[in-house]
Structure formats: structure tokens, C-alpha cells
Amino acid sequence: MKIIVESHIPYVGNSLDDLGEVVRLTPDEITREAVADADALIVRTRTRCGAPLLDGSAVKFVATATIGTDHIDRGWCASRGIEVHSCPGCNAPAVAQYVWSSVLRLRDCVEGAVIGVVGLGNVGSIVARWARSLGAKVLACDPPRERATGGWDPENPAAAGSEPFVTLDHIARHADIITFHTPFTREGGDRTFHIAGAEFFDSLVKRPIVINAARGGVVDTPALEKAICDRRVSAAVIDCWEGEPAISRELLELAHIATPHIAGYSIEGKQRATASCVGALRRFAGAKVEQPAPIVPPPYNLAMPFGERIVASYDPLADTAALRRDPSAFEALRNHYPLRHEVAL
């Protein structure tokens, strides 16, 4: 096999060498010509996988070391017999770490606060579970899960239960903190493109903190900028941006925390994603799959209160300062990010 692996994906090592030729390329180098004779690709979000790149190629397997797949034309791939693999949940603890580390720097106390979690999937469920540990009340909005299960379990937010889901409008009226953890979709009844738009921001009641660590297009950038200027939003935390890497300089200055799409960039999360992609490709090739040795994090002071442990584990203000110093370095900051350890529970 000829396998192309995006060069910024870590922890690949020699795990695929026995399958054939492994070629490491940057996103800009993964072109139609480069993939023409490749059998498999392992990529990230900057490589769009569909007809423009893959038509006429030998590719029969595409893995993305990310939770999202909006950069992959899954329908086209399926029609051409191309297997697609993604890594849902691989970086969920790291994104929850990012969310709560940000919130706890913007609020001295979250006990008794109401957090609206929009999208109670892999990430949102952890955010909600940690909210309970921190003494915050959770409102969850997730129409697909609501249709499937009717309710959710506050003790285990990933499971079905008796707690009712609420509407986005209800969250807009009652939440002190609103965080988005939805996939990005432009079509259908559950489309998420600009669900946080002008109408949403106009309906806010409590001047909440608004967090986007999902996908840039979930939030309408000009509408958020206006909401901040109109003081309808008390603080914005933005990790995912419309038009990346050409981000809004106005939003960069208005946001209290602004980072280059690195919320999920933990050592453990990257290891999980790479292991998932490698394992899927090895199964596709009929080869033996071996689990990598886990990376052992440094010791944490488990006697420290959980909120203090979260804050000590990661400082998003340092990443904000780096992006503000040079917004044009968005991709470089992302591609060469010094991966952090996740917080110990």
C-alpha cells in the first residue's frame, strides 16, 4: 500500500511501516497529483476529501484524526467505495478542560450558575458532568438526542434519563454560560449553521458568557460582534472561527479568550486519535492491531479542589496572547502547538 499521512499528525511512528510506503505531507502538499497513486489517506480538517481531490485516484480508505467530518464528502466517498473513518470523542476531555478553564478565569465562582450546553454528545456530556462537580446547573439542548431518548441522566449525561432537554430559546433566556458542542451541518432540520445568529443573540437575557469550541460556522460572527458591543454578551470564548485561518480581527479583539482552534489539543487526545486512525487502517488492510502504550501524565495534586485543578492544568490566556500578537500565524500556532496534558479527575 501507499499511505499518505498528514505531517502534523503525531504519534504515528513506525506503526504503519509494515503495510507499505508511508509518505508524510503537509496539507498544502496533499494534492490531486500527490494522491493519485495512494491507497489510503490519514488527514485532519484542512484536507478536504471529495471529488476534487480523490476522483480518479486509487484511494480506498480515508481516516481523519478529528471528531468532525464536515471536510469529507461522505456521500461521494461511499458512492466510490471509499471507507471513511473519524475519531468521535477522542479529544472530548481536552475540550471540556478548555471550556471550564476558560469559564473559571472569567467567573470567580460557578456554583449555582446555569450553563446551557448545546449539543450533549461526547464533549457536551463531559462538560455537563464536570458542571455538576463544580456546582453548576445544566440546561441541555440536543434535538436529535431528545427525539431518540426523550431525556438525559444528570449523573451520566451521555446516557438516557428523566431530565428533559430544553430548547435553544430556553437556554438563551435562562443561562449564565452558553457553550456549543454540535457538529457543523448546513442542511436538514437539525442544521447548525449560524444557530447562534442575530435572533439568538437578541433573545439573550442574562448577558452570558458564550463559548464556541465546536465549529466556526455554528456562530454568526458579525452577530456575535454586535452582541458583544451591545453588551448582550458579557464575554466570548472563541476557539473555532468562521473562515479559518483568515479570522475576524474584530472578534479577535472583542473576545476575552481567543485561541487558534486548539481546544482539543491534548497529548492524550492526539494519541487516541492517531491510534484510532492507525487501528482502522490496519483493520482495513487485514493486519494485526496493537494498542499503543498509554502516555502517563505528570502527577497531579488530587487533594486540590477540582476547579483549581482545571485552572492549574491549562491557561488559555497564554494562547490568546500568542494569537493576538500575530493573527496571521493562526495555522503555525495550530500546527506547532505544544500539546498539553489533560486534567486528572
Side-chain angles (χ1 to χ4, degrees):
M1 299 179 72
K2 179 178 179 179
I3 304 161
I4 293 177
V5 180
E6 204 251 71
S7 59
H8 297 116
I9 296 173
Y11 306 122
V12 176
N14 61 0
S15 61
L16 296 170
D17 290 357
D18 61 313
L19 299 185
E21 178 188 9
V22 179
V23 180
R24 301 298 298 256
L25 298 176
T26 67
D28 288 342
E29 292 171 334
I30 302 177
T31 63
R32 187 181 179 93
E33 293 72 28
V35 307
D37 61 344
D39 300 288
L41 305 180
I42 300 180
V43 300
R44 298 189 307 161
T45 54
R46 292 298 184 256
T47 302
R48 304 197 68 83
C49 296
L53 178 68
L54 302 177
D55 194 25
S57 75
V59 173
K60 289 299 178 185
F61 177 91
V62 173
T64 180
T66 63
I67 61 174
T69 58
D70 44 284
H71 55 297
I72 298 176
D73 188 339
R74 298 187 68 121
W76 184 88
C77 287
S79 72
R80 299 303 192 278
I82 298 172
E83 182 173 321
V84 173
H85 176 81
S86 63
C87 307
C90 66
N91 64 357
V95 179
Q97 174 190 35
Y98 174 93
V99 167
W100 281 113
S101 182
S102 298
V103 169
L104 291 168
R105 280 174 169 77
L106 296 171
R107 289 183 61 120
D108 292 333
C109 178
V110 296
E111 188 169 359
V114 177
I115 180 168
V117 180
V118 185
L120 201 64
N122 290 303
V123 176
S125 294
I126 297 178
V127 170
R129 178 160 51 85
W130 290 8
R132 186 178 177 87
S133 298
L134 294 166
K137 178 184 177 182
V138 178
L139 298 174
C141 174
D142 192 317
R145 274 197 62 182
E146 183 176 18
R147 290 194 300 271
T149 66
W152 60 284
D153 181 0
E155 296 283 348
N156 179 14
S162 58
E163 185 73 15
F165 287 97
V166 301
T167 64
L168 186 61
D169 180 64
H170 185 90
I171 283 177
R173 287 185 283 111
H174 295 282
D176 302 293
I177 306 155
I178 302 174
T179 184
F180 291 90
H181 301 292
T182 67
F184 179 65
T185 53
R186 287 183 175 271
E187 300 176 352
D190 295 319
R191 62 185 176 275
T192 60
F193 174 67
H194 283 184
I195 56 170
E199 183 178 352
F200 168 78
F201 290 115
D202 287 345
S203 67
L204 297 177
V205 172
K206 300 175 73 174
R207 297 191 64 239
I209 297 169
V210 172
I211 304 164
N212 184 9
R215 284 290 184 265
V218 168
V219 174
D220 182 332
T221 299
L224 174 57
E225 292 168 349
K226 184 175 186 300
I228 298 170
C229 293
D230 291 346
R231 298 180 60 81
R232 302 195 71 87
V233 169
S234 65
V237 177
I238 306 298
D239 184 61
C240 300
W241 306 72
E242 290 194 282
E244 293 178 13
I247 64 174
S248 166
R249 302 298 176 90
E250 182 177 359
L251 183 55
L252 175 59
E253 292 306 315
L254 288 171
H256 284 65
I257 293 174
T259 52
H261 204 152
I262 49 73
Y265 276 31
S266 69
I267 292 170
E268 294 83 357
K270 290 292 186 181
Q271 186 193 42
R272 289 185 205 104
T274 296
S276 178
C277 290
V278 167
L281 177 52
R282 293 188 66 84
R283 282 188 290 273
F284 176 81
K288 182 180 179 181
V289 178
E290 295 183 356
Q291 293 301 313
I295 294 172
V296 180
Y300 285 90
N301 180 5
L302 297 180
M304 185 185 295
F306 184 44
E308 293 180 24
R309 230 179 303 151
I310 294 172
V311 171
S313 73
Y314 169 60
D315 181 7
L317 297 178
D319 290 329
T320 298
L323 183 58
R324 284 192 173 133
R325 278 194 299 270
D326 185 4
S328 67
F330 189 99
E331 286 293 84
L333 290 169
R334 190 169 187 244
N335 289 334
H336 303 290
Y337 187 75
L339 300 175
R340 63 187 188 269
H341 279 290
E342 294 170 357
V343 63
L345 302 182

